[in-house]
Amino acid sequence: MRGITLERRLIAHIASGIGALAIIAALLIFLVDRQIDAAVFISLLIGVLGLGLWLALLPDDLRHLISGRQAVYGGNSILISVLFAGIVLILMTLAGASNIAADLTQYRTYSLRPDVEVLVKSMTQPAIVTVFYNSSQLAQQQSESPILHLFSDNSNGLVHVSVVDPDQQPVVARSFGVTQGVHAFVTGVNSDGTADTGTGKIITLTNDYVGEQQIADALLLLQVRGKFKVLFATGDGELNTESGGDAAQIRAGLGTVGMQTGIIDLSKDDIPADTTALVIISPVHDLTVEETNRVSLYMGNGGRLMLMAQPLFYEDYKTSVPNAPLKYTFLQDSSPMTRYLWDNWGLRAQNDIVYDPGSYVDSPYNLLTAKASGHPIMAKDQAGRSRLQALLFLARSWQLADSTQKPAEVLLYPLIETTDKAFGATDIRAVQLKSDAYQRLPQDLSGPFTMAVAAQNTKSQARIVVIGDSQWATNDVVLHYGNAILWSNMMNWLTQFDEKTSVSPTVKPLPLITDTNTLNGVIVLTMVVMPGIVLIVGLLVWRDRARR
């Protein structure tokens, strides 16, 4: 009989412990999720059944607990425990509601990097980070929420985070162009406080996750929009970059990233001091002394210049008239611009048309890059792991001065080179008349040749890029091979656009991103299991003392 009583008491006490823990778990789950769901209901049911079994097996325990000698001391302990738990829960609720956060990680993983924090705190224009999550992306929303709040909390109110459900607000989603894998955008702010979603105004974060680097780059790009100005020279027969012109696409591409573009007639106007870069695309006529002086003055103040030069084609090449006039006269041997480039940069456009049977497309006059240098301009990707192959058409080569001829402060970087089999045809008229039947002449130049060069003046910080062809940049060609990337890389290097619109890559450990199940496990461990163990130990101690 004694054994049966002890077994009943043990079962009752275990049931009471499980019941109490289940009720506590139900309360904590409700406080975390803020809703009565299946987990809360099941926990409450287990709690009621456990406590009910305890009362059914040992009904005298409740009466003894209330009126017994230990009630006074136990009651005080329970009251203190309840008060302590309540205070902790209240503090946690207030902290969550006020977005109070402290980063106690060793590497400050949940703080903005110092350079990003400086960027955010120095912002002068408001921005909105709009992020789209549907009901199936709640876990992703939970993992990305901390980094989003870091930007809003550190921006002095200039960065606002807007979370939108695309299923609930499809019109808003369409206005941003939400697609699968693209769900985050950075925009400016209209006068009424809404996101500025005008044409070319939305910066898209194209990765399938939201990271510190992405948001920082987008905010920096937003702050510098309109501060880069690229002018295209006109007045000497250059390729037309206006809408509908032969080279309109390359100019339009600059506008899509927020650069200002315009035209300038060098025969009439000085180059404005705020010009980020000047582009001269294959003038028909050579630049005059006055025009060259304008370019020289601009470059002397740290200017940036791109030159595209066609071979010196003859105007009437279809006839056999020996003295047909030249159609292209840009960069003749005696021109002011030729002398400027040689004296100040150690560069000279050679009077040839390059023929390379070792690397071409369709015709050896259509040059496919045989050797691309390691310069960033020739990188096919941001990591620089592969090189570009551009395609040039009827191009002229460039002569580079040696160290004894060029200015000491000038650094020359060959970009595109031909194979050793290449030669430069110097009889331009013969190539025009019968390009396929051209026979190499003794006076022709021997390869390999440099077809494009980048140069930098370390004293004035001026930069220049020259290339012996302009057809590669026309609308019907620039999108083929690596030509579009070549144009983009050339302008990036000249203007330093990427350097000024991106922060340095992260060097600290990646943020700790935990999925929902893991987070819930931590909550249960710290708020249910650990307090439960303490409660069970307390109950065992209380029972032991009660038996005495």
Side-chain angles (χ1 to χ4, degrees):
M1 192 70 180
R2 176 74 174 172
I4 296 175
T5 302
L6 290 176
E7 185 176 350
R8 176 187 295 181
R9 293 184 65 85
L10 178 61
I11 294 174
H13 289 156
I14 292 176
S16 66
I18 293 175
L21 288 176
I23 291 176
I24 293 174
L27 176 62
L28 293 177
I29 294 172
F30 173 74
L31 291 174
V32 172
D33 294 341
R34 303 298 175 92
Q35 62 180 352
I36 299 177
D37 53 15
V40 174
F41 179 78
I42 292 173
S43 297
L44 284 174
L45 181 62
I46 294 174
V48 171
L49 291 176
L51 293 178
L53 181 60
W54 169 56
L55 293 177
L57 294 176
L58 296 176
D60 292 339
D61 271 12
L62 179 61
R63 186 168 50 255
H64 180 71
L65 180 64
I66 296 174
S67 59
R69 185 171 58 87
Q70 302 294 329
V72 176
Y73 302 105
N76 291 337
S77 300
I78 292 173
L79 178 62
I80 293 173
S81 299
V82 170
L83 288 175
F84 178 77
I87 292 171
V88 170
L89 289 174
I90 292 173
L91 291 177
M92 289 177 63
T93 303
L94 291 175
S98 60
N99 289 322
I100 297 174
D103 187 355
L104 304 179
T105 58
Q106 179 181 0
Y107 298 102
R108 298 196 58 77
T109 303
Y110 289 100
S111 299
L112 291 178
R113 286 165 26 202
D115 55 339
V116 175
E117 186 174 2
V118 170
L119 163 66
V120 173
K121 290 185 180 298
S122 64
M123 288 177 58
T124 58
Q125 305 173 35
I128 297 178
V129 182
T130 304
V131 194
F132 292 85
Y133 303 104
N134 58 30
S135 58
S136 66
Q137 296 173 305
L138 296 181
Q140 182 175 4
Q141 179 180 352
Q142 186 177 24
S143 68
E144 293 177 350
S145 179
I147 193 67
L148 292 169
H149 285 297
L150 283 177
F151 279 90
S152 61
D153 294 343
N154 286 275
S155 65
N156 299 318
L158 287 179
V159 177
H160 174 69
V161 176
S162 175
V163 177
V164 182
D165 187 333
D167 297 331
Q168 298 294 325
Q169 302 185 53
V171 175
V172 177
R174 284 196 297 270
S175 70
F176 279 88
V178 176
T179 61
Q180 184 174 4
V182 178
H183 70 293
F185 308 85
V186 174
T187 62
V189 182
N190 293 317
S191 57
D192 60 357
T194 59
D196 185 358
T197 58
T199 303
K201 300 294 186 66
I202 300 176
I203 301 173
T204 304
L205 279 62
T206 54
N207 286 351
D208 56 1
Y209 66 92
V210 175
E212 179 182 23
Q213 181 84 33
Q214 287 181 290
I215 300 175
D217 286 349
L219 291 174
L220 186 54
L221 178 59
L222 188 69
Q223 300 299 304
V224 301
R225 274 184 180 268
K227 296 181 180 179
F228 288 79
K229 183 167 71 174
V230 179
L231 298 182
F232 292 82
T234 63
D236 289 299
E238 294 88 350
L239 282 183
N240 184 7
T241 60
E242 300 281 8
S243 178
D246 291 337
Q249 286 194 22
I250 60 173
R251 178 176 170 183
L254 300 179
T256 60
V257 296
M259 289 190 183
Q260 295 184 57
T261 63
I263 59 174
I264 182 171
D265 188 339
L266 294 176
S267 66
K268 301 176 181 179
D269 303 317
D270 292 332
I271 303 170
D274 63 345
T275 302
T276 308
L278 173 67
V279 181
I280 302 177
I281 307 178
S282 185
V284 172
H285 308 298
D286 225 329
L287 272 61
T288 64
V289 172
E290 184 180 16
E291 291 172 319
T292 302
N293 287 341
R294 286 186 168 123
V295 173
S296 176
L297 178 63
Y298 167 69
M299 296 299 289
N301 292 321
R304 311 296 169 91
L305 174 66
M306 177 182 287
L307 281 179
M308 303 185 198
Q310 290 289 111
L312 302 179
F313 293 132
Y314 287 87
E315 186 173 2
D316 187 11
Y317 68 90
K318 294 183 180 180
T319 69
S320 57
V321 178
N323 295 319
L326 285 171
K327 178 180 181 180
Y328 288 89
T329 61
F330 182 51
L331 297 183
Q332 295 185 87
D333 287 342
S334 59
S335 74
M337 193 64 183
T338 295
R339 292 196 299 270
Y340 166 76
L341 290 175
W342 184 254
D343 294 340
N344 292 273
W345 293 95
L347 293 169
R348 179 185 288 127
Q350 302 192 112
N351 296 328
D352 63 355
I353 296 179
V354 176
Y355 180 98
D356 188 1
S359 184
Y360 65 90
V361 174
D362 296 332
S363 167
Y365 293 106
N366 298 338
L367 310 178
L368 186 63
T369 302
K371 180 182 178 182
S373 73
H375 193 276
I377 288 178
M378 299 308 297
K380 192 174 183 179
D381 53 30
Q382 290 185 346
R385 287 187 292 265
S386 58
R387 302 286 101 192
L388 281 175
Q389 273 199 308
L391 186 63
L392 308 183
F393 301 84
L394 294 172
R396 65 196 294 190
S397 62
W398 291 85
Q399 178 186 356
L400 280 64
D402 59 32
S403 58
T404 63
Q405 295 172 303
K406 70 175 181 64
E409 64 272 14
V410 171
L411 302 176
L412 298 177
Y413 307 101
L415 301 176
I416 298 174
E417 295 182 335
T418 66
T419 68
D420 295 341
K421 298 178 181 179
F423 69 86
T426 55
D427 191 341
I428 307 296
R429 182 168 174 74
V431 174
Q432 289 182 280
L433 288 171
K434 297 180 179 180
S435 59
D436 294 338
Y438 184 85
Q439 297 294 318
R440 183 171 182 177
L441 302 173
Q443 63 266 32
D444 289 343
L445 307 178
S446 298
F449 298 101
T450 299
M451 307 307 299
V453 187
Q456 180 177 2
N457 187 304
T458 58
K459 185 176 180 180
S460 67
Q461 300 305 311
R463 295 186 176 191
I464 185 172
V465 173
V466 297
I467 187 168
D469 177 41
S470 63
Q471 294 183 66
W472 71 274
T474 56
N475 299 336
D476 55 344
V477 177
V478 72
L479 298 180
H480 298 286
Y481 294 90
N483 290 0
I485 303 177
L486 178 64
W487 164 255
S488 177
N489 288 356
M490 284 180 169
M491 294 308 299
N492 269 332
W493 184 78
L494 279 176
T495 63
Q496 296 177 277
F497 182 79
D498 279 350
E499 295 178 31
K500 297 175 182 177
T501 58
S502 62
V503 295
S504 56
T506 182
V507 294
K508 70 180 183 181
L510 292 175
L512 175 63
I513 301 298
T514 308
D515 57 50
T516 304
N517 291 333
T518 304
L519 288 174
N520 290 338
V522 172
I523 292 174
V524 171
L525 177 65
T526 56
M527 302 185 71
V528 177
V529 176
M530 294 176 65
I533 293 174
V534 174
L535 180 60
I536 290 174
V537 171
L539 288 173
L540 292 175
V541 171
W542 170 79
R543 187 188 68 174
D544 181 68
R545 291 183 175 180
R547 292 173 60 184
R548 295 177 184 176

